[in-house]
Amino acid sequence: MNRDSVVDLKEARNPELVLDGENVVPNDIEWDGYIKVVIISGPNTGGKTVTLKTLGLLALMARAGLYLPVKEHSRIPFFPKVYSDIGDDQNIQLKLSTFSAHLKKIVHILNHVDAGSLVLLDELGIATDPQEGAALAEAILLNLKNKDVMTLVSTHYFSLKVLAQTQEGFLNACTEFDLDTLSPTYRLIFGAPGQSAALDTAERLGLDKSIIEQARGLYQTKDNRAEDLLKDLTRQRLELSRDKEEIKLEKETTEAMAREQRILTHRMREEEKDFQKSKNKKLQLEVRAGKAEIQKMIQEIKGEKNLPKIRKVERQINSLSQVPLSSKVEDAKEWSLPVEELKSGDPVLIMNLGAYGTLLESPEGKKKLRVQMGNINTVVDARSLRGNPQQKGKKSEKKFSMNVQAESGNDSVASCDLRGMNSEEAGEVMEAFISRAIVQKAQRVLIIHGHGMGKIKSLVRSYLEKSGLCKQFMAGARHEGGDGVTVVEF
Ligand SMILES: Nc1ncnc2c1ncn2[C@@H]1O[C@H](COP(=O)(O)OP(=O)(O)OP(=O)(O)O)[C@@H](O)[C@H]1O
Ligand SMILES: [Mg+2]
């Protein structure tokens, strides 16, 4: 909701049609702040009245604090008052004819509106001589424009279309008519007036063909050059609007591809880093195990005088460097306990990664288990875990909490808790977390930073903004922790 008079509703749907379960064509309803009167023309049954009602309902719903059936980033002004003259209020008891009922409402509106009001007028100036009615409508609209109110009016009057095309602060809009099917598409287009297509619509609605033909003959004898000019203008505007839409779609596709490309590149780099890291860890294990073995052999031959035995040990030590790296990890004798004999908190060797970690849950026959590796919580295959009898029961200190769910299709949301960290630590942990989330193809993750001075929150959000690694991010819902949490979607 904005204080200026900018209307920018994206993909707006009429709530009544939505509730009726209709297949609603969404429309962008938007114009610049300097526009004060929008004149909607177009085919009968094309959606003009519906557009008026849509804007009126959305204005009132926004004022009442309700969610609107529009796309994100839509904007609507705060309209302190909303007036409308829609429908026919003729009433014998009240001595109101169609014309006088409309006029009574118009008089009320003109007497009460003030700057910032919204006025919706369906078919202004009807139910009288068309020439006089159009002149009356024109004068009323000019008066409303000078009162600085926002007016949306539907019409079939040619002179009002001309008014909107020539007068400052006015804008033509139309609902689209498909010339192939001779029926409305309900698409709303701004910048051009539309044709009423009364004869085509009457034919579509089942009026006798002979009557239609006679009407067509009568219509053609009229001088319609001015209408034809407007028709041409409308056609050009429609083509332009279609081109614009195609360009918008192509731009969106290109942007999506570029984003995907960035994510893929990042993912590949992270996978490469991960691979390098696990390779290094394996190597460390190899070296450690090798050193231990050499130490053992040296102990055995200390003080040994038997030359052949010394030579044999020398050969054994030399042969150690020939053993393939991976086999040494699996042979690491200390890590011999099967996973079933472990419990939550036990140190573990993750054999397929060649890395150490801490088991975060008791195995109980589970196929996947949560394990903490440094600052990272991850889920690994239970079969790849081994315990060490000498280290069993020893607790390793847990500093930060970070959890990425590896399995897709699982409802639990991955999260990373940065509370209590300084900017440097938080930056490092967050980057590692985002990378891991991308590698593990997470759809949605949470970063918990709390409120505090807002420093870590700004750090997180500006990183997400600049890195372009996610599709979008936002503050968490209330049950997730509100603004103390940032939800990231990939
Ligand atoms: N955006 C839309 N999506 C789906 N259906 C629509 C939409 N707009 C209008 N309609 C359907 O078309 C019907 C006629 O619309 P509406 O009354 O607004 O036409 P109109 O342009 O005011 O016609 P007329 O000039 O005859 O008064 C609606 O009752 C509704 O069923
Ligand atoms: Mg109508």
Side-chain angles (χ1 to χ4, degrees), residues 44-69:
N44 288 108
T45 74
K48 299 182 293 297
T49 306
V50 164
T51 304
L52 261 55
K53 289 180 174 175
T54 305
L55 182 61
L57 275 170
L58 297 196
L60 294 172
M61 284 167 73
R63 238 180 47 176
L66 298 174
Y67 285 111
L68 307 189

Short mmCIF file of all heavy atoms in Angstrom, two decimals, residues 44-69:
data_model
loop_
_atom_site.label_atom_id
_atom_site.label_comp_id
_atom_site.label_asym_id
_atom_site.label_seq_id
_atom_site.Cartn_x
_atom_site.Cartn_y
_atom_site.Cartn_z
N ASN A 44 -18.61 -5.74 -25.87
CA ASN A 44 -19.63 -6.14 -24.89
C ASN A 44 -19.21 -7.49 -24.32
O ASN A 44 -18.60 -8.31 -25.01
CB ASN A 44 -21.00 -6.28 -25.56
CG ASN A 44 -21.56 -4.93 -25.92
OD1 ASN A 44 -21.62 -4.55 -27.09
ND2 ASN A 44 -21.98 -4.17 -24.92
N THR A 45 -19.52 -7.70 -23.08
CA THR A 45 -19.15 -8.91 -22.32
C THR A 45 -17.63 -9.12 -22.25
O THR A 45 -17.17 -10.23 -22.03
CB THR A 45 -19.79 -10.22 -22.87
OG1 THR A 45 -19.10 -10.56 -24.09
CG2 THR A 45 -21.26 -10.11 -23.12
N GLY A 46 -16.88 -8.03 -22.42
CA GLY A 46 -15.41 -8.18 -22.49
C GLY A 46 -14.69 -8.09 -21.16
O GLY A 46 -13.51 -8.41 -21.07
N GLY A 47 -15.38 -7.64 -20.11
CA GLY A 47 -14.72 -7.57 -18.79
C GLY A 47 -14.52 -6.16 -18.27
O GLY A 47 -13.76 -5.96 -17.32
N LYS A 48 -15.21 -5.17 -18.85
CA LYS A 48 -15.04 -3.78 -18.39
C LYS A 48 -15.62 -3.62 -16.98
O LYS A 48 -14.94 -3.13 -16.07
CB LYS A 48 -15.76 -2.81 -19.35
CG LYS A 48 -15.22 -2.85 -20.77
CD LYS A 48 -15.93 -1.86 -21.66
CE LYS A 48 -17.39 -2.19 -21.90
NZ LYS A 48 -17.61 -3.46 -22.62
N THR A 49 -16.86 -4.04 -16.81
CA THR A 49 -17.49 -3.89 -15.49
C THR A 49 -16.73 -4.69 -14.45
O THR A 49 -16.50 -4.24 -13.33
CB THR A 49 -18.97 -4.35 -15.57
OG1 THR A 49 -19.60 -3.62 -16.62
CG2 THR A 49 -19.69 -4.09 -14.29
N VAL A 50 -16.30 -5.89 -14.85
CA VAL A 50 -15.53 -6.73 -13.92
C VAL A 50 -14.26 -6.00 -13.48
O VAL A 50 -13.88 -6.03 -12.31
CB VAL A 50 -15.20 -8.09 -14.58
CG1 VAL A 50 -14.10 -8.82 -13.83
CG2 VAL A 50 -16.45 -8.96 -14.62
N THR A 51 -13.59 -5.29 -14.42
CA THR A 51 -12.37 -4.57 -14.06
C THR A 51 -12.66 -3.49 -13.01
O THR A 51 -11.91 -3.34 -12.03
CB THR A 51 -11.75 -3.92 -15.31
OG1 THR A 51 -11.52 -4.94 -16.27
CG2 THR A 51 -10.44 -3.22 -14.99
N LEU A 52 -13.76 -2.77 -13.20
CA LEU A 52 -14.16 -1.74 -12.23
C LEU A 52 -14.38 -2.37 -10.85
O LEU A 52 -13.91 -1.87 -9.83
CB LEU A 52 -15.46 -1.08 -12.69
CG LEU A 52 -15.38 0.27 -13.40
CD1 LEU A 52 -14.46 0.21 -14.60
CD2 LEU A 52 -16.76 0.73 -13.84
N LYS A 53 -15.11 -3.48 -10.86
CA LYS A 53 -15.41 -4.15 -9.58
C LYS A 53 -14.14 -4.69 -8.94
O LYS A 53 -13.98 -4.68 -7.72
CB LYS A 53 -16.41 -5.28 -9.81
CG LYS A 53 -17.80 -4.77 -10.13
CD LYS A 53 -18.75 -5.94 -10.34
CE LYS A 53 -20.19 -5.46 -10.53
NZ LYS A 53 -21.09 -6.57 -10.84
N THR A 54 -13.24 -5.20 -9.80
CA THR A 54 -11.98 -5.76 -9.26
C THR A 54 -11.22 -4.67 -8.50
O THR A 54 -10.81 -4.87 -7.35
CB THR A 54 -11.10 -6.32 -10.40
OG1 THR A 54 -11.86 -7.24 -11.15
CG2 THR A 54 -9.86 -7.00 -9.88
N LEU A 55 -11.04 -3.51 -9.16
CA LEU A 55 -10.27 -2.45 -8.50
C LEU A 55 -10.98 -1.99 -7.22
O LEU A 55 -10.33 -1.80 -6.19
CB LEU A 55 -10.04 -1.28 -9.46
CG LEU A 55 -9.20 -0.16 -8.86
CD1 LEU A 55 -7.81 -0.65 -8.48
CD2 LEU A 55 -9.07 1.02 -9.82
N GLY A 56 -12.30 -1.84 -7.30
CA GLY A 56 -13.05 -1.40 -6.11
C GLY A 56 -12.89 -2.37 -4.96
O GLY A 56 -12.58 -1.98 -3.84
N LEU A 57 -13.07 -3.66 -5.25
CA LEU A 57 -12.96 -4.67 -4.20
C LEU A 57 -11.55 -4.72 -3.62
O LEU A 57 -11.37 -4.79 -2.40
CB LEU A 57 -13.32 -6.06 -4.76
CG LEU A 57 -14.81 -6.39 -4.78
CD1 LEU A 57 -15.05 -7.66 -5.57
CD2 LEU A 57 -15.32 -6.57 -3.36
N LEU A 58 -10.55 -4.68 -4.51
CA LEU A 58 -9.17 -4.76 -4.01
C LEU A 58 -8.81 -3.54 -3.16
O LEU A 58 -8.10 -3.66 -2.17
CB LEU A 58 -8.17 -4.92 -5.17
CG LEU A 58 -8.31 -6.20 -6.01
CD1 LEU A 58 -7.06 -6.45 -6.83
CD2 LEU A 58 -8.58 -7.43 -5.15
N ALA A 59 -9.33 -2.36 -3.57
CA ALA A 59 -9.06 -1.15 -2.77
C ALA A 59 -9.64 -1.31 -1.38
O ALA A 59 -8.98 -1.00 -0.37
CB ALA A 59 -9.66 0.07 -3.47
N LEU A 60 -10.87 -1.83 -1.30
CA LEU A 60 -11.51 -2.00 0.01
C LEU A 60 -10.85 -3.11 0.82
O LEU A 60 -10.67 -3.00 2.03
CB LEU A 60 -13.01 -2.31 -0.17
CG LEU A 60 -13.82 -1.15 -0.77
CD1 LEU A 60 -15.24 -1.60 -1.10
CD2 LEU A 60 -13.85 0.03 0.19
N MET A 61 -10.46 -4.19 0.14
CA MET A 61 -9.79 -5.31 0.84
C MET A 61 -8.46 -4.85 1.41
O MET A 61 -8.11 -5.17 2.55
CB MET A 61 -9.57 -6.48 -0.12
CG MET A 61 -10.83 -7.27 -0.41
SD MET A 61 -10.60 -8.39 -1.80
CE MET A 61 -9.57 -9.64 -1.06
N ALA A 62 -7.70 -4.08 0.61
CA ALA A 62 -6.39 -3.60 1.09
C ALA A 62 -6.60 -2.71 2.29
O ALA A 62 -5.86 -2.79 3.28
CB ALA A 62 -5.68 -2.84 -0.03
N ARG A 63 -7.62 -1.87 2.22
CA ARG A 63 -7.91 -0.97 3.34
C ARG A 63 -8.28 -1.76 4.59
O ARG A 63 -8.00 -1.34 5.71
CB ARG A 63 -9.07 -0.07 2.95
CG ARG A 63 -8.71 1.38 3.02
CD ARG A 63 -9.87 2.22 2.64
NE ARG A 63 -11.10 1.83 3.31
CZ ARG A 63 -12.25 2.49 3.19
NH1 ARG A 63 -12.29 3.54 2.41
NH2 ARG A 63 -13.32 2.10 3.81
N ALA A 64 -8.91 -2.92 4.41
CA ALA A 64 -9.31 -3.74 5.56
C ALA A 64 -8.18 -4.65 6.02
O ALA A 64 -8.35 -5.46 6.92
CB ALA A 64 -10.53 -4.58 5.17
N GLY A 65 -7.02 -4.54 5.36
CA GLY A 65 -5.86 -5.35 5.77
C GLY A 65 -5.93 -6.79 5.29
O GLY A 65 -5.29 -7.67 5.86
N LEU A 66 -6.71 -7.04 4.24
CA LEU A 66 -6.80 -8.42 3.73
C LEU A 66 -5.74 -8.66 2.65
O LEU A 66 -5.27 -7.72 2.01
CB LEU A 66 -8.18 -8.65 3.10
CG LEU A 66 -9.38 -8.51 4.04
CD1 LEU A 66 -10.68 -8.63 3.27
CD2 LEU A 66 -9.31 -9.58 5.11
N TYR A 67 -5.41 -9.90 2.46
CA TYR A 67 -4.52 -10.26 1.35
C TYR A 67 -5.28 -10.09 0.03
O TYR A 67 -6.49 -10.35 -0.02
CB TYR A 67 -4.07 -11.72 1.46
CG TYR A 67 -3.04 -11.94 2.52
CD1 TYR A 67 -3.34 -12.66 3.68
CD2 TYR A 67 -1.75 -11.43 2.37
CE1 TYR A 67 -2.40 -12.86 4.67
CE2 TYR A 67 -0.80 -11.63 3.34
CZ TYR A 67 -1.12 -12.33 4.48
OH TYR A 67 -0.17 -12.51 5.44
N LEU A 68 -4.58 -9.64 -1.00
CA LEU A 68 -5.24 -9.42 -2.30
C LEU A 68 -4.87 -10.55 -3.27
O LEU A 68 -3.75 -11.05 -3.22
CB LEU A 68 -4.78 -8.10 -2.91
CG LEU A 68 -4.91 -6.84 -2.05
CD1 LEU A 68 -4.61 -5.60 -2.88
CD2 LEU A 68 -6.29 -6.72 -1.44
N PRO A 69 -5.80 -10.92 -4.16
CA PRO A 69 -5.46 -11.94 -5.17
C PRO A 69 -4.64 -11.33 -6.30
O PRO A 69 -5.09 -11.17 -7.42
CB PRO A 69 -6.83 -12.42 -5.65
CG PRO A 69 -7.75 -11.28 -5.37
CD PRO A 69 -7.19 -10.49 -4.23
#
